[in-house]
């Protein structure tokens, strides 16, 4: 039996639940949320989906304590806050979401299974959860969706299928994402990458999705389920996830074999190395600022 716990029943949680119903390796989806109505609603919807699609996967609403019985956890809660940022959009929820993730880390300390974090700013939230919970098997979703967008946009620009493009986006899931243009290939050959044009299109995509359907959901949900299969050893392969680097958590390509990751950083040119260093400094600063803020809030 394989049970996956989903904490947060918003847009991404709904997408993850729906995809898990159609997997052939998951038996149970357990859902928990701060507001019980959203968990109840998602479980009811997934029950209907299971019946209509003749899926054996069962959905249950559970309390947070029972999440420790799961084989893996997905953290995708979102605090209520108004995002007024024109830039660094994902950093807007730093403190509000940090409070949620710290609480979950405290409540779930001792859980030894893999944890996949989706809540933004995901690189900071992943580190916060890992350090507060003392868990060593925590990864964040972000750079995998960035990489997928990069490959799709470049493929359209050069007129090839996305599968013909091999390349990565690493570092921060945010404004300082690093496009690894120097190591990108199309049909196995080096190609000139219009980095600024692609960066502009990548930045525009989340806003276009949100303007049309309210929240980005399907891409991160698919990346989450792909990550779950890899970290649980269901499949082997490569994915870009937020993982511990020398000083902070950064998006990087990881190859999983039987659930064990190996870092596979691509070759970087001088400019890409500088960009990665800048992303690292930014994420370190954001993390220390968050920890200081949370400490002050606890003391007051």
């Amino acid at each position: 039996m394989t049970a996956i716990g989903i904490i947060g029943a918003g847009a991404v949680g709904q997408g993850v639940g729906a995809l898990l119903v159609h997997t052939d390796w998951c038996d149970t989806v357990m859902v928990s949320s701060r507001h019980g109505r959203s968990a109840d609603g998602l479980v009811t919807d997934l029950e209907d989906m299971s019946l209509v699609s003749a899926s054996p996967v069962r959905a249950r609403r559970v309390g947070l304590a029972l999440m420790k019985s799961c084989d893996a956890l997905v953290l995708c809660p979102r605090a209520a806050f108004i995002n007024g940022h024109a830039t660094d959009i994902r950093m807007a929820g730093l403190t509000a979401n940090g409070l949620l993730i710290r609480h979950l880390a405290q409540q779930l300390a001792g859980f030894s299974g893999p944890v996949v974090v989706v809540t933004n700013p995901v690189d900071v939230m992943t580190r916060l959860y890992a350090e507060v919970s003392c868990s060593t098997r925590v990864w964040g979703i972000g750079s995998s969706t960035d990489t997928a967008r990069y490959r799709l946009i470049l493929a359209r620009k050069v007129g090839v299928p996305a599968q013909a493009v091999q390349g990565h986006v690493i570092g921060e899931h945010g404004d300082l994402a690093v496009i690894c243009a120097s190591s990108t290939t199309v049909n196995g050959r080096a190609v000139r990458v219009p980095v600024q044009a692609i960066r502009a299109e990548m930045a525009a995509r989340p806003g276009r999705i949100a303007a049309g359907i309210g929240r980005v959901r399907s891409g991160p949900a698919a990346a989450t389920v792909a990550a779950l299969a890899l970290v649980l050893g269901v499949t082997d392969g490569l994915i870009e996830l937020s993982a511990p680097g020398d000083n902070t958590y950064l998006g990087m390509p990881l190859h999983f074999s039987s659930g064990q990751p190996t870092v596979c950083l691509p070759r970087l040119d001088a400019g890409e190395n500088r960009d990665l260093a800048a992303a690292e400094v930014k994420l370190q600063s954001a993390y220390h600022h968050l920890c200081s803020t949370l400490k002050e809030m606890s003391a007051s």
Side-chain angles (χ1 to χ4, degrees):
M1 299 290 288
T2 300
I4 305 298
I6 302 173
I7 301 175
V12 175
Q14 294 163 24
V16 171
L19 289 172
L20 287 173
V21 165
H22 283 289
T23 65
D24 58 1
W25 52 264
C26 175
D27 301 286
T28 306
V29 177
M30 297 187 180
V31 183
S32 179
S33 68
R34 288 178 299 144
H35 307 295
R37 286 189 304 174
S38 59
D40 279 338
L42 177 54
V43 167
T44 303
D45 196 33
L46 293 177
E47 288 175 337
D48 291 348
M49 185 180 188
S50 294
L51 182 62
V52 171
S53 62
S55 169
V57 179
R58 294 295 172 257
R60 294 174 55 199
R61 178 197 166 188
V62 300
L64 202 56
L66 281 180
M67 283 292 173
K68 288 186 177 182
S69 68
C70 292
D71 295 283
L73 298 179
V74 175
L75 307 187
C76 50
R78 182 185 187 276
F81 66 92
I82 297 173
N83 192 339
H85 284 207
T87 60
D88 256 350
I89 293 172
R90 296 179 182 91
M91 281 289 175
L94 181 65
T95 300
N97 285 334
L99 284 166
L100 288 181
I101 296 299
R102 184 184 65 173
H103 172 73
L104 290 175
Q106 292 167 339
Q107 296 299 306
L108 296 169
F111 176 73
S112 60
V115 178
V116 177
V117 180
V118 186
T119 305
N120 277 319
V122 68
D123 304 293
V124 181
M125 296 298 112
T126 303
R127 180 179 179 183
L128 179 65
Y129 182 88
E131 295 196 356
V132 174
S133 68
C134 298
S135 174
T136 59
R137 303 177 67 193
V138 185
W139 296 276
I141 292 296
S143 292
S144 49
T145 52
D146 289 338
T147 295
R149 289 165 177 165
Y150 170 49
R151 293 175 60 200
L152 176 63
I153 295 165
L154 180 58
R156 287 177 174 172
K157 287 186 178 294
V158 299
V160 299
Q163 292 75 12
V165 178
Q166 295 297 318
H168 305 281
V169 179
I170 63 174
E172 183 199 13
H173 178 51
D175 290 7
L176 294 189
V178 181
I179 295 175
C180 301
S182 67
S183 59
T184 296
T185 62
V186 175
N187 289 318
R189 298 181 178 180
V191 62
R192 182 181 175 277
V193 178
V195 173
Q196 294 309 315
I198 289 178
R199 186 179 294 280
E201 172 62 15
M202 286 176 61
R205 286 181 75 84
R208 190 181 310 146
I209 294 168
I213 60 173
R215 295 255 182 250
V216 176
R217 62 192 70 207
S218 300
T224 300
V225 174
L228 286 170
L230 290 167
V231 303
L232 286 169
V234 176
T235 59
D236 293 342
L238 186 74
I239 190 170
E240 296 80 9
L241 297 176
S242 189
D246 292 335
N247 299 301
T248 191
Y249 275 63
L250 291 163
M252 60 185 71
L254 303 175
H255 186 275
F256 283 86
S257 179
S258 299
Q260 298 303 310
T262 301
V263 177
C264 300
L265 273 177
R267 181 192 71 253
L268 303 177
D269 65 19
E272 291 160 356
N273 271 311
R274 286 194 299 271
D275 290 344
L276 186 60
E280 184 174 3
V281 169
K282 176 185 174 182
L283 291 171
Q284 277 186 288
S285 176
Y287 182 75
H288 292 312
H289 173 74
L290 173 61
C291 289
S292 176
T293 301
L294 294 179
K295 184 177 180 180
E296 290 176 3
M297 293 175 72
S298 298
S300 62

